[in-house]
Amino acid sequence: MIVTFTANPSLDRTVALPGPLERGEVQRAVSVSQESGGKGVNVSRALCASGVETVAVLPGADSDPVLAGLRHDKVPFAALAIDEPLRTNVALTEPGGVTTKINEPGPLLTEDQQEALIALLLERSRGASWVILAGSLPPGFPAEFYATVTRRLRAAGNGNTPLIAVDSSGGPLAGAVSGTSQDGVSGKPDLLKPNAEELAELAAAAGFATASTAEELEADPAAAAAAAAAVVRSGVGAVLATLGSKGAVLVTADGAWLATHPPVAAVSTVGAGDSSLAGYLLAHGLGAAPADCLRQAVAHGAAAASLPGSTVPAVHQTTPDAVTITALRKD
């Protein structure tokens, strides 16, 4: 069982444009689609598509369109009832896969609701192999929320704690990486999944000597691996860094690898990173070695980029045999 936790889920609307986005002009959409979304929800959707047992933990009223979408798609979920509607995010996609996203902030949850959401996660995570803490946080949540949840999961596990992955950005991501230990319980995740921009920020915060931009990390996988290694040295178990069309790197305490996929005809990059994480988890659950978990991650991400909107691929739609794995130095 893989449990995903999405504190700030959304209804994701994807508007496909016939040409480049023209600011200040009227443009007619080619198509419009919508899916229940948020990073953790997307991971659960991708796992369900491949027959992997999962449950998505999130807030939301029973009548909210996000929960209705999950029921329609037969994605198991556990929701904390709230009164406010969940947010709607809009993605504008251009031919070639260029995507512009407009994300709403999300509902305000009280401290009591935040605690109830954590309690629901702890309840549903008993016996899970992984817990995925994913996405942005609603207004009012502390930046160190994911570190707090990580410690709570480990404290409640009594030696049978699931592995914990974090996929977020900005303050919540930085708070997860800097999560200190309390009473001997670490707040740092077993796996972190940044993109190139987030990796550059994290490496700088971890004191990595050579600062690099996202563009530089995507162009230089060795630099990306070195930056990820700096994050691993800070106490994170492993880093799976997606580098857009350049593939991804995986760095653990024992090694570093680059995975690349032949170019695909990109339709929409919405959810590609979430699908990459789902591919990694799918392979890990089958006992695959780290390099082969990375292989499936990149295969999933490439397949997602070739699908419209926020559509997630099933494993049979991926091409892991087309992925090339290269061992890298970590420093």
Side-chain angles (χ1 to χ4, degrees):
M1 166 70 78
I2 296 175
V3 177
T4 66
F5 179 75
T6 309
N8 203 16
S10 59
L11 185 67
D12 288 349
R13 291 178 57 83
T14 302
V15 180
L17 300 176
L21 175 65
E22 298 177 12
R23 293 182 60 192
E25 300 296 331
V26 174
Q27 290 177 268
R28 299 190 183 279
V30 173
S31 64
V32 178
S33 61
Q34 66 181 33
E35 300 276 1
S36 299
K39 283 184 173 295
V41 168
N42 289 340
V43 172
S44 280
R45 288 174 51 230
L47 292 171
C48 275
S50 295
V52 177
E53 187 179 8
T54 183
V55 61
V57 176
L58 70 165
D62 187 64
S63 60
D64 196 279
V66 173
L67 301 193
L70 291 176
R71 282 191 289 267
H72 177 271
D73 294 339
K74 296 181 172 55
V75 177
F77 67 88
L80 173 72
I82 62 172
D83 294 329
E84 291 189 64
L86 298 173
R87 61 186 180 144
T88 297
N89 293 341
V90 177
L92 307 175
T93 63
E94 305 172 32
V98 175
T99 302
T100 302
K101 299 188 69 176
I102 303 171
N103 292 350
E104 295 181 3
L108 179 65
L109 273 62
T110 66
E111 290 186 8
D112 286 345
Q113 288 174 317
Q114 294 177 32
E115 180 58 34
L117 196 56
I118 295 175
L120 178 60
L121 175 64
L122 294 177
E123 174 189 344
R124 298 309 297 259
S125 297
R126 296 191 187 107
S129 57
W130 281 91
V131 171
I132 314 304
L133 310 177
S136 64
L137 296 174
F141 275 55
E144 64 275 12
F145 182 79
Y146 284 145
T148 298
V149 173
T150 296
R151 286 191 295 265
R152 293 278 295 274
L153 284 164
R154 288 174 175 154
N158 296 321
N160 190 28
T161 304
L163 295 170
I164 299 168
V166 171
D167 182 3
S168 189
S169 60
L173 179 61
V177 173
S178 62
T180 56
S181 297
Q182 294 182 8
D183 298 324
V185 180
S186 172
K188 296 179 186 290
D190 299 290
L191 177 68
L192 200 70
K193 199 223 72 63
N195 60 25
E197 182 177 356
E198 294 153 357
L199 177 60
E201 295 173 358
L202 290 175
F208 185 49
T210 305
S212 299
T213 66
E215 292 75 13
E216 289 170 340
L217 294 182
E218 289 186 355
D220 186 351
V231 178
V232 170
R233 287 194 296 271
S234 75
V236 172
V239 174
L240 169 64
T242 51
L243 306 176
S245 63
K246 304 298 183 181
V249 297
L250 174 67
V251 176
T252 71
D254 300 320
W257 302 267
L258 165 69
T260 57
H261 191 284
V264 299
V267 176
S268 171
T269 59
V270 178
D274 306 328
S275 291
S276 293
L277 179 54
Y280 179 97
L281 297 170
L282 188 154
H284 188 276
L286 296 175
D292 287 321
C293 292
L294 174 62
R295 180 189 302 278
Q296 190 60 53
V298 169
H300 254 75
S306 69
L307 297 173
S310 56
T311 306
V312 293
V315 66
H316 72 268
Q317 295 173 289
T318 70
T319 52
D321 290 344
V323 176
T324 300
I325 300 291
T326 305
L328 300 173
R329 291 175 55 89
K330 294 189 295 180
D331 46 27

